[in-house]
Amino acid sequence: MTALLGLMLLCLLLSTAMPRLLVRATWPEREPVVALGVWQCLVVSVLLCCGLGLVLAASAAVPAVREALFRSAPRQVVDAYGFADAGLWGAAAALVLAYGGLHTAVALAREVRAARAARSLCQAELARLAPDLPPGAGAGGDGARERLVVLESLQPEAWSLPGPAARLVVTTGALRRLSDRELAAVLDHERGHVRARHHWLLQCGEALAAGFPGVAVFAAFRDEVGRLVELAADDAASRRHGRLATALALVELNSGRGVFGTCPAQRAEVPRRVDRLLAGEPRLPVRHRVRLTAAGLTALAVPLLLALAPGLHALL
């Protein structure tokens, strides 16, 4: 059962050392989209280690599972995995990993259900405050209109409501305070969230961090995803409307919330985003982006290679 032991050691390495390296790195500030991909590869790799470990442990503990999975495999392949020597620890590992898998599924289902309920309530409130126009009443008369909702409020705010019927919401306070270019930058920022399905990443991060509060990789994934999706949306807006307009829009929307100057750490992200936009650091060279992407994909391949290594070695 060296494959199972290797998977568990790899899982321990990926869930402890790698998150620290990524959190301390400075390149995600310049490439938030690449960083999101690397974080996803890391988390999927950890889950893949646990899933493949569960398959191997269940094969060792339950003969029926082993026969179903290795029915057409040569005898030397089955012997190479050492299922006969697993003993009680194989059964214990199977139980622990099965509990972890079930716990993950329950946490994710609970988070998705809660997010859908919250979106439904928000959509109902928006429909009450700002009903949709009749069909064909939009600009152009072809029914192809922007799903934009304007709410009466003195507070300058703008946000997106994801889902099948996505909405971009802006208040009259924001309309009064922002210039045309700044408003366009804010709307493109929110469109960036909707188009990239950032709410899926946020829900997964919340579910994993809530389901396994003691696992560092999941807590770091939740925190970094929440930061990186904002940077990615800032970049999407600044590419069309410029960094200065996007930075000024952030300042105007948050100037009355006490986020500039002395403020709690969790509210200091907006000034950092403004400074990043004004600094205007260039993107990483293409070769660096390719290397980072390859590193993330390698993290996905290593668990598969570890799980298949005994069988491949026996065949060769």
Side-chain angles (χ1 to χ4, degrees):
M1 293 293 286
T2 55
L4 177 58
L5 180 60
L7 286 171
M8 295 300 98
L9 291 176
L10 177 62
C11 182
L12 181 63
L13 174 66
L14 293 176
S15 59
T16 54
M18 292 306 298
R20 295 174 186 171
L21 292 176
L22 281 177
V23 169
R24 294 173 183 173
T26 58
W27 64 265
E29 294 279 336
R30 298 169 65 182
E31 291 294 340
V33 175
V34 176
L36 283 171
V38 172
W39 271 106
Q40 290 175 75
C41 288
L42 176 61
V43 170
V44 171
S45 183
V46 170
L47 297 176
L48 198 56
C49 286
C50 296
L52 293 172
L54 173 60
V55 170
L56 293 179
S59 299
V62 184
V65 174
R66 181 165 65 246
E67 292 175 4
L69 292 176
F70 293 89
R71 181 179 294 114
S72 58
R75 184 65 187 177
Q76 65 267 27
V77 172
V78 181
D79 294 338
Y81 282 95
F83 292 132
D85 301 328
L88 292 177
W89 78 272
L95 289 176
V96 171
L97 292 171
Y99 171 77
L102 180 61
H103 195 60
T104 301
V106 170
L108 185 57
R110 185 185 298 117
E111 180 65 28
V112 170
R113 185 169 59 249
R116 285 180 176 175
R119 283 202 302 270
S120 297
L121 288 176
C122 191
Q123 287 172 348
E125 183 67 9
L126 287 177
R128 184 182 68 83
L129 295 175
D132 286 342
L133 293 174
D142 58 356
R145 56 190 174 81
E146 182 80 44
R147 292 182 177 272
L148 178 64
V149 178
V150 178
L151 294 182
E152 182 68 35
S153 175
L154 296 177
Q155 182 69 30
E157 291 181 319
W159 69 92
S160 57
L161 185 63
R167 296 286 193 273
L168 303 180
V169 184
V170 63
T171 64
T172 53
L175 295 178
R176 295 189 187 100
R177 180 168 295 187
L178 299 175
S179 68
D180 290 345
R181 192 171 184 182
E182 292 166 1
L183 178 61
V186 168
L187 294 178
D188 269 338
H189 174 101
E190 299 303 331
R191 288 190 189 99
H193 286 313
V194 173
R195 290 170 181 169
R197 305 291 193 271
H198 286 159
H199 61 288
W200 289 356
L201 289 177
L202 295 172
Q203 288 174 15
C204 289
E206 288 291 343
L208 291 172
F212 302 92
V215 180
V217 65
F218 296 148
F221 177 66
R222 176 199 57 197
D223 296 339
E224 286 298 295
V225 161
R227 183 177 71 93
L228 291 171
V229 296
E230 295 300 333
L231 301 186
D234 287 344
D235 288 348
S238 65
R239 278 193 292 269
R240 291 196 60 186
H241 306 285
R243 291 178 174 271
L244 180 59
T246 307
L248 289 175
L250 279 174
V251 172
E252 291 294 339
L253 290 178
N254 294 278
S255 59
R257 303 186 183 189
V259 299
F260 297 100
T262 304
C263 65
Q266 64 269 23
R267 301 179 65 184
E269 192 59 38
V270 173
R272 284 195 287 266
R273 289 166 56 194
V274 172
D275 291 341
R276 172 181 175 271
L277 287 167
L278 296 178
E281 289 193 37
R283 297 187 64 183
L284 293 177
V286 175
R287 65 180 183 276
H288 290 174
R289 283 179 264 163
V290 171
R291 290 173 186 170
L292 291 169
T293 303
L297 295 176
T298 300
L300 290 177
V302 172
L304 293 172
L305 292 176
L306 275 178
L308 297 175
L312 293 175
H313 184 267
L315 290 175
L316 298 176

